[in-house]
Every structure is written in C-alpha cells, then in structure tokens.
Amino acid sequence: MLKTIPEVIAQARKSLTIMTVEEAMLLAKQENGVIIDVREPSEYAEKSAEGTINIPRGLLEMKMLQMYPNEAKPIFLHCATGARAIFSAEQLKRVGYLNVSVITSTLDDICNAWC
C-alpha cells in the first residue's frame, strides 16, 4: 500500500529527536554541534540563518562523511517546512550518525533566533 508524504513524515517523526530552535541553539552551543540547512543552495542564498551550513539533502550523506566523520557529532537539521530535514535525519541515522536532531521551527523563527 502506498503512503502519502504526510503519512511517511508522521511515521518517521516517531523515531527521531525533534526539537525547537531554542532547544537546538542551546544544545548546539553546549555540545559543539553543527546546524545544517538541507535546502537547495538557491533557497539558502535567498534566506538563511547566520552560522548554519548548507548541505542539500541530495548530497548530505556524502558530504557529511567527508566533513564530519565523527559518528557522535551533534547534528541539527532544518529546512523550510521540516519534511526534508526529517528525511535527511533518517538517512544520517542509516549511515551511522548517533546524535541527529530535527529542528521543527519555521525558517523565519530559525533566522530570527540566529540573527
């Protein structure tokens, strides 16, 4: 049986660490974490939060393994709506990252929190 994207996202959320931008900011600072925006480069160029790193979802696993080979590195993912961040978190967990979280706040809230 086929599932809709909202159904897949709802199922995936159950196995992921989900947090607000405020929680992510605090933990990222305390644990030397990295905040990754998984949107496309053109979207990132249009509007992005200061101090975030842009690694599009399609390149995420390959780039992460090169840039952050430590499986325990705290990783905080976000996008515009949360969908790509959720799918990205699932993929990073599949390749072995242990400390992956999804930021559920809106892009505006994320940008305001980091500015």
Side-chain angles (χ1 to χ4, degrees):
M1 178 171 108
L2 294 176
K3 295 180 183 178
T4 66
I5 296 301
E7 290 171 331
V8 172
I9 289 170
Q11 183 65 36
R13 286 178 67 102
K14 295 176 185 177
S15 66
L16 298 171
T17 302
I18 308 291
M19 62 182 60
T20 66
V21 65
E22 294 81 12
E23 294 167 319
M25 282 179 61
L26 180 64
L27 285 174
K29 288 178 185 174
Q30 288 175 348
E31 300 176 3
N32 193 30
V34 60
I35 295 102
I36 299 174
D37 183 329
V38 297
R39 297 176 301 142
E40 293 299 312
S42 60
E43 295 172 286
Y44 185 81
E46 203 172 294
K47 183 176 189 174
S48 58
E50 188 177 315
T52 61
I53 297 168
N54 180 229
I55 305 175
R57 181 175 168 232
L59 301 174
L60 188 64
E61 300 87 9
M62 292 165 283
K63 291 282 189 178
M64 287 297 293
L65 292 168
Q66 292 171 357
M67 296 171 67
Y68 302 102
N70 177 358
E71 66 188 17
K73 177 81 172 169
I75 300 166
F76 303 89
L77 303 171
H78 82 86
C79 62
T81 65
R84 285 177 281 186
I86 286 172
F87 290 135
S88 297
E90 279 189 313
Q91 284 303 107
L92 290 183
K93 288 181 81 171
R94 279 190 193 118
V95 298
Y97 285 97
L98 304 172
N99 196 355
V100 180
S101 301
V102 176
I103 302 171
T104 58
S105 303
T106 67
L107 182 59
D108 285 339
D109 288 343
I110 292 166
C111 289
N112 290 335
W114 262 281
C115 296

